[in-house]
Amino acid sequence: MRTLFKFLFVLLLVSVVGCGTSSIPKASPEQLAELENLVENKKIFFEAEWAMPLTTNSLNQISNAGLLPPGSTANQINLIGNNNFLKIDGDSVSAYLPYYGERQMGGVYNQSNAGIKFEGVPTDFEISKDDKKNTYSIKFDVNDRSEAFQVNMTLFPNMTASVNINSNERFSIRYQGKAKKAMQQ
Protein backbone atom coordinates (compact mmCIF):
# COMPACT_ATOMS: atom_id res chain seq x y z
CA MET A 1 0.00 0.00 0.00
CA ARG A 2 2.82 2.40 0.90
CA THR A 3 4.51 1.65 -2.40
CA LEU A 4 1.29 2.43 -4.24
CA PHE A 5 1.04 5.86 -2.53
CA LYS A 6 4.67 6.65 -3.37
CA PHE A 7 4.07 5.66 -6.98
CA LEU A 8 0.92 7.80 -7.22
CA PHE A 9 2.70 10.75 -5.59
CA VAL A 10 5.61 10.54 -8.03
CA LEU A 11 3.19 10.18 -10.94
CA LEU A 12 1.23 13.23 -9.79
CA LEU A 13 4.40 15.25 -9.31
CA VAL A 14 5.71 14.36 -12.76
CA SER A 15 2.39 15.20 -14.41
CA VAL A 16 2.15 18.58 -12.67
CA VAL A 17 5.72 19.54 -13.52
CA GLY A 18 5.61 18.07 -17.02
CA CYS A 19 2.28 19.57 -18.06
CA GLY A 20 3.11 23.16 -17.19
CA THR A 21 3.01 25.66 -19.99
CA SER A 22 6.10 27.51 -21.02
CA SER A 23 6.39 30.97 -19.52
CA ILE A 24 8.46 32.10 -22.49
CA PRO A 25 6.11 33.22 -25.28
CA LYS A 26 7.12 32.47 -28.85
CA ALA A 27 8.18 35.52 -30.81
CA SER A 28 8.11 35.90 -34.57
CA PRO A 29 11.30 36.79 -36.44
CA GLU A 30 9.72 40.17 -37.29
CA GLN A 31 9.09 40.96 -33.62
CA LEU A 32 12.64 39.99 -32.70
CA ALA A 33 14.07 42.13 -35.52
CA GLU A 34 11.95 45.14 -34.49
CA LEU A 35 13.04 44.81 -30.87
CA GLU A 36 16.69 44.41 -31.81
CA ASN A 37 16.47 47.49 -34.07
CA LEU A 38 15.00 49.61 -31.23
CA VAL A 39 17.72 48.58 -28.81
CA GLU A 40 20.65 48.84 -31.23
CA ASN A 41 19.61 52.34 -32.34
CA LYS A 42 18.75 53.42 -28.77
CA LYS A 43 15.44 54.87 -30.00
CA ILE A 44 12.89 53.71 -27.45
CA PHE A 45 9.66 55.40 -26.39
CA PHE A 46 7.89 53.77 -23.44
CA GLU A 47 4.35 54.69 -22.39
CA ALA A 48 3.11 53.24 -19.10
CA GLU A 49 -0.34 51.69 -18.85
CA TRP A 50 -0.04 50.60 -15.21
CA ALA A 51 1.86 51.88 -12.19
CA MET A 52 2.68 49.36 -9.48
CA PRO A 53 3.85 51.21 -6.39
CA LEU A 54 5.17 49.66 -3.22
CA THR A 55 1.97 49.10 -1.24
CA THR A 56 2.11 50.83 2.11
CA ASN A 57 -0.47 51.57 4.79
CA SER A 58 -0.83 55.14 3.51
CA LEU A 59 -1.46 53.99 -0.05
CA ASN A 60 -4.05 51.50 1.20
CA GLN A 61 -5.82 54.33 3.01
CA ILE A 62 -5.90 56.41 -0.19
CA SER A 63 -7.28 53.44 -2.10
CA ASN A 64 -9.93 52.74 0.55
CA ALA A 65 -11.00 56.40 0.40
CA GLY A 66 -11.69 56.00 -3.34
CA LEU A 67 -9.05 58.51 -4.43
CA LEU A 68 -7.42 56.31 -7.09
CA PRO A 69 -8.53 56.20 -10.76
CA PRO A 70 -11.33 53.77 -11.69
CA GLY A 71 -10.18 50.17 -12.05
CA SER A 72 -7.20 50.74 -9.78
CA THR A 73 -6.08 49.17 -6.54
CA ALA A 74 -3.39 50.18 -4.07
CA ASN A 75 -0.83 47.98 -5.83
CA GLN A 76 -1.92 48.50 -9.46
CA ILE A 77 -2.98 51.91 -10.77
CA ASN A 78 -4.46 52.40 -14.23
CA LEU A 79 -2.58 55.02 -16.28
CA ILE A 80 -4.33 54.53 -19.63
CA GLY A 81 -5.20 57.96 -21.00
CA ASN A 82 -2.64 59.63 -18.72
CA ASN A 83 0.18 61.37 -20.61
CA ASN A 84 3.44 59.78 -19.51
CA PHE A 85 6.65 58.54 -21.09
CA LEU A 86 10.20 57.36 -20.71
CA LYS A 87 12.32 58.05 -23.77
CA ILE A 88 15.78 56.80 -24.71
CA ASP A 89 17.11 58.74 -27.68
CA GLY A 90 20.72 57.94 -28.43
CA ASP A 91 22.84 59.07 -25.50
CA SER A 92 20.10 60.99 -23.70
CA VAL A 93 17.08 59.99 -21.66
CA SER A 94 13.98 61.81 -20.51
CA ALA A 95 10.90 60.87 -18.54
CA TYR A 96 7.66 62.18 -17.17
CA LEU A 97 5.89 59.48 -15.16
CA PRO A 98 3.21 59.92 -12.49
CA TYR A 99 4.34 58.78 -9.06
CA TYR A 100 2.17 56.99 -6.53
CA GLY A 101 3.81 56.18 -3.26
CA GLU A 102 5.66 57.75 -0.40
CA ARG A 103 8.64 60.05 -0.26
CA GLN A 104 11.34 58.82 2.05
CA MET A 105 12.80 62.26 2.58
CA GLY A 106 13.28 65.71 1.17
CA GLY A 107 11.64 67.07 -1.89
CA VAL A 108 11.62 70.58 -3.26
CA TYR A 109 9.14 73.11 -1.89
CA ASN A 110 6.90 74.85 -4.43
CA GLN A 111 7.45 71.95 -6.80
CA SER A 112 4.48 71.75 -9.15
CA ASN A 113 5.52 68.33 -10.44
CA ALA A 114 5.21 65.51 -7.93
CA GLY A 115 5.89 62.86 -10.59
CA ILE A 116 9.14 61.34 -11.74
CA LYS A 117 10.74 63.75 -14.15
CA PHE A 118 14.26 63.77 -15.54
CA GLU A 119 16.16 64.72 -18.66
CA GLY A 120 19.82 64.37 -19.46
CA VAL A 121 22.69 62.05 -20.19
CA PRO A 122 22.60 58.92 -18.03
CA THR A 123 25.54 57.34 -16.28
CA ASP A 124 26.32 53.62 -16.03
CA PHE A 125 24.22 52.91 -19.14
CA GLU A 126 24.15 49.16 -19.75
CA ILE A 127 22.29 46.95 -22.23
CA SER A 128 22.15 43.17 -21.93
CA LYS A 129 20.24 40.50 -23.83
CA ASP A 130 18.71 37.31 -22.48
CA ASP A 131 18.92 34.99 -25.50
CA LYS A 132 16.81 32.31 -23.82
CA LYS A 133 13.85 34.66 -23.20
CA ASN A 134 14.52 37.02 -26.16
CA THR A 135 14.39 40.03 -23.87
CA TYR A 136 16.61 43.05 -23.43
CA SER A 137 17.49 44.69 -20.15
CA ILE A 138 18.52 48.36 -20.06
CA LYS A 139 19.91 49.86 -16.87
CA PHE A 140 21.07 53.40 -16.19
CA ASP A 141 21.38 56.07 -13.53
CA VAL A 142 20.24 59.65 -14.02
CA ASN A 143 19.94 62.74 -11.79
CA ASP A 144 17.41 65.56 -11.70
CA ARG A 145 18.16 68.41 -9.33
CA SER A 146 18.70 66.76 -5.96
CA GLU A 147 17.09 63.43 -6.83
CA ALA A 148 18.95 60.42 -8.22
CA PHE A 149 17.16 57.65 -10.11
CA GLN A 150 18.18 54.09 -10.93
CA VAL A 151 16.17 52.85 -13.91
CA ASN A 152 15.84 49.21 -14.99
CA MET A 153 13.84 48.52 -18.16
CA THR A 154 13.01 45.09 -19.56
CA LEU A 155 11.82 44.95 -23.17
CA PHE A 156 9.87 41.95 -24.45
CA PRO A 157 9.47 40.80 -28.10
CA ASN A 158 5.75 41.70 -28.14
CA MET A 159 6.82 45.33 -27.56
CA THR A 160 5.68 45.45 -23.97
CA ALA A 161 8.05 46.67 -21.30
CA SER A 162 8.50 46.78 -17.56
CA VAL A 163 10.29 49.71 -15.93
CA ASN A 164 11.49 49.71 -12.31
CA ILE A 165 12.58 53.03 -10.82
CA ASN A 166 14.43 53.44 -7.55
CA SER A 167 15.10 56.87 -6.09
CA ASN A 168 17.09 58.31 -3.23
CA GLU A 169 13.96 60.21 -2.07
CA ARG A 170 11.01 57.90 -2.81
CA PHE A 171 9.91 54.32 -2.44
CA SER A 172 10.45 52.25 -5.58
CA ILE A 173 7.78 51.89 -8.25
CA ARG A 174 7.29 49.68 -11.29
CA TYR A 175 5.51 50.53 -14.53
CA GLN A 176 4.08 48.21 -17.20
CA GLY A 177 3.33 49.44 -20.68
CA LYS A 178 4.17 49.52 -24.38
CA ALA A 179 7.40 50.34 -26.17
CA LYS A 180 7.84 51.68 -29.67
CA LYS A 181 10.36 53.53 -31.79
CA ALA A 182 11.10 57.03 -30.50
CA MET A 183 10.37 59.69 -33.10
CA GLN A 184 12.77 62.50 -33.89
CA GLN A 185 11.85 65.92 -32.56
Side-chain angles (χ1 to χ4, degrees):
M1 192 70 163
R2 180 176 263 188
T3 307
L4 180 62
F5 283 123
K6 285 182 182 178
F7 175 74
L8 290 175
F9 178 74
V10 170
L11 185 62
L12 179 65
L13 184 64
V14 168
S15 67
V16 168
V17 172
C19 292
T21 59
S22 173
S23 63
I24 303 171
K26 300 291 183 199
S28 70
E30 294 82 16
Q31 288 175 315
L32 296 173
E34 183 180 4
L35 180 60
E36 188 172 335
N37 184 35
L38 280 182
V39 174
E40 283 181 2
N41 293 321
K42 294 184 185 175
K43 298 277 187 194
I44 302 165
F45 185 87
F46 168 79
E47 184 173 12
E49 295 176 342
W50 294 95
M52 289 147 216
L54 182 64
T55 306
T56 62
N57 188 35
S58 299
L59 202 53
N60 278 327
Q61 290 174 354
I62 290 171
S63 177
N64 291 338
L67 298 175
L68 294 177
S72 300
T73 62
N75 62 350
Q76 189 168 350
I77 299 167
N78 186 342
L79 299 178
I80 296 173
N82 181 324
N83 289 332
N84 66 78
F85 70 91
L86 187 148
K87 183 177 177 182
I88 299 172
D89 191 4
D91 292 334
S92 65
V93 295
S94 58
Y96 179 74
L97 296 164
Y99 179 75
Y100 296 90
E102 293 183 36
R103 280 193 177 268
Q104 296 171 341
M105 61 180 272
V108 179
Y109 287 109
N110 297 326
Q111 183 179 3
S112 62
N113 174 27
I116 293 175
K117 184 177 179 184
F118 56 79
E119 186 172 353
V121 178
T123 58
D124 298 326
F125 193 91
E126 180 183 314
I127 298 174
S128 59
K129 181 178 182 184
D130 184 337
D131 290 321
K132 189 174 181 179
K133 295 180 181 177
N134 292 318
T135 61
Y136 283 90
S137 178
I138 300 173
K139 299 177 181 181
F140 60 87
D141 298 335
V142 65
N143 297 327
D144 182 57
R145 297 184 189 163
S146 65
E147 195 166 5
F149 299 100
Q150 292 177 324
V151 179
N152 298 312
M153 174 185 274
T154 304
L155 295 161
F156 300 94
N158 63 355
M159 301 309 286
T160 60
S162 175
V163 175
N164 294 307
I165 299 181
N166 295 316
S167 165
N168 63 329
E169 294 184 359
R170 311 171 197 229
F171 286 174
S172 63
I173 188 167
R174 182 167 60 105
Y175 298 93
Q176 291 284 115
K178 302 280 185 189
K180 62 183 180 180
K181 182 179 180 181
M183 299 296 162
Q184 295 287 62
Q185 291 184 350

